[in-house]
Amino acid sequence: MDDSGRSRTGASIQGAGRARPTLKTIAYMTGLGITTVSRALKDAPDIGAETKERVRLIANQLGYQPNRAGVRLRTGKTNVIALVLSIDEELMGFTSQMVHGITEVLGGTQYHLVVTPHSFEKDPMVPVRYILDTGSADGVIISRIEPEDARVRLMTERNLPFATHGRTDMGIEHPYHDYDNEAYAYQAVRKLVEKGRRRIAFLSPQSRFSFYIHSRIGFERGLADFGATEVPMGRVTSETPFEETRAYAERLMRSAEPPDGIISISGSATIALVAGLEAAGKRLGVDVDLVSKQSAEFLNWIRPEIYTVNEDVRQAGRELAKAVMARIDGVAPELLQSISQPVWSKMAPAD
């Protein structure tokens, strides 16, 4: 106790809050050596459980965080996983769900997540080159994968561990987690045909992305197997601005031979589709049925008539985080590949 009646520890913790706490600060507070404190925080087996608990308690009270620059100087590692995420990603839940999934896995490890936003309309190589040139991350997660993806080739050549949300088709084995868009599109055609629909439009991704190829294969296979025909969507894709999508959907539904079934690859774009077809005086579930993929349960809240299929983006984040950490540890890339299957929403309208 000091003269004011306060404990030395409490006073010191308050004083330490004025400056960034260090290992030396924790050593002073616990009466231990700096090396012992460092090893306790690293859960070294030769440090007793009681000592570790005491060190961690003080470290938490102080708000201690390892100095990344110091860690990098000592180990050559940054303890950073970079998520390179396009600012053009789907609005409804994709980004937050992906980040949640990744952080669930990284929590309790030495790794920190740093989100690196970029616009895919600009050079997608820029953020990857920056990470490589600065050595600012131990591993990278990227999305919006192309069949021949230059980012994958560069990181492979430079031996930077990474994982992709999507698959390439370039003869390079690499870690990935993907969603089975081929199965989704095929099942969506079957659902619409079962509802008596035969003229089906498909709002697909841009053709440069790998999941465009996968979804088109499933869609065309479904048309052939179930005896339906395609109503073209022209130049409209899931990347088209919502107002243009809404306007095109209205024109399409006012045409002489409108579709009686629509499949959407994007939950956000589906809202624009619904606005357009209703502006044309069409009724969901009566004049036209619609199947949509979604990354969060929300479409059936506003339009129960939509048949929804869920993509668990949070699970994708978890799988990608595990894959990139395993790759950092030297696990072979072909052992770090996974694909999730479509899950039809329980909130979808009953048949």
Side-chain angles (χ1 to χ4, degrees), residues 79-83 106 111-114 137 139-141 324-325 328:
N79 290 343
V80 168
I81 302 295
L83 171 62
L106 297 188
Y111 292 105
H112 303 269
L113 178 66
V114 173
V140 178
I141 296 171
V324 75
M325 285 194 298
I328 291 170

Side-chain angles (χ1 to χ4, degrees), residues 126-148:
V126 170
V128 172
R129 287 197 192 100
Y130 175 82
I131 293 168
L132 282 164
D133 292 344
T134 61
S136 53
D138 297 330
V140 178
I141 296 171
I142 61 174
S143 62
R144 299 170 76 82
I145 305 304
E146 300 182 12
E148 292 282 338

Side-chain angles (χ1 to χ4, degrees), residues 226-237:
F226 304 119
T229 58
E230 179 177 6
V231 177
M233 287 291 294
R235 297 182 179 180
V236 176
T237 72

Side-chain angles (χ1 to χ4, degrees), residues 125-203:
M125 295 293 291
V126 170
V128 172
R129 287 197 192 100
Y130 175 82
I131 293 168
L132 282 164
D133 292 344
T134 61
S136 53
D138 297 330
V140 178
I141 296 171
I142 61 174
S143 62
R144 299 170 76 82
I145 305 304
E146 300 182 12
E148 292 282 338
D149 201 301
R151 299 170 298 172
V152 168
R153 189 175 303 281
L154 180 61
M155 288 188 288
T156 300
E157 291 172 350
R158 299 278 292 272
N159 295 315
L160 175 64
F162 68 93
T164 64
H165 186 217
R167 287 165 282 170
T168 60
D169 186 22
M170 54 199 301
I172 294 177
E173 290 284 1
H174 62 84
Y176 65 74
H177 179 79
D178 202 1
Y179 178 83
D180 197 337
N181 285 285
E182 179 179 345
Y184 161 67
Y186 184 84
Q187 293 173 19
V189 173
R190 181 175 61 192
K191 170 63 71 175
L192 291 174
V193 172
E194 288 172 350
K195 298 300 294 179
R197 307 308 186 181
R198 288 292 185 273
R199 293 176 47 78
I200 301 175
F202 181 32
L203 183 68

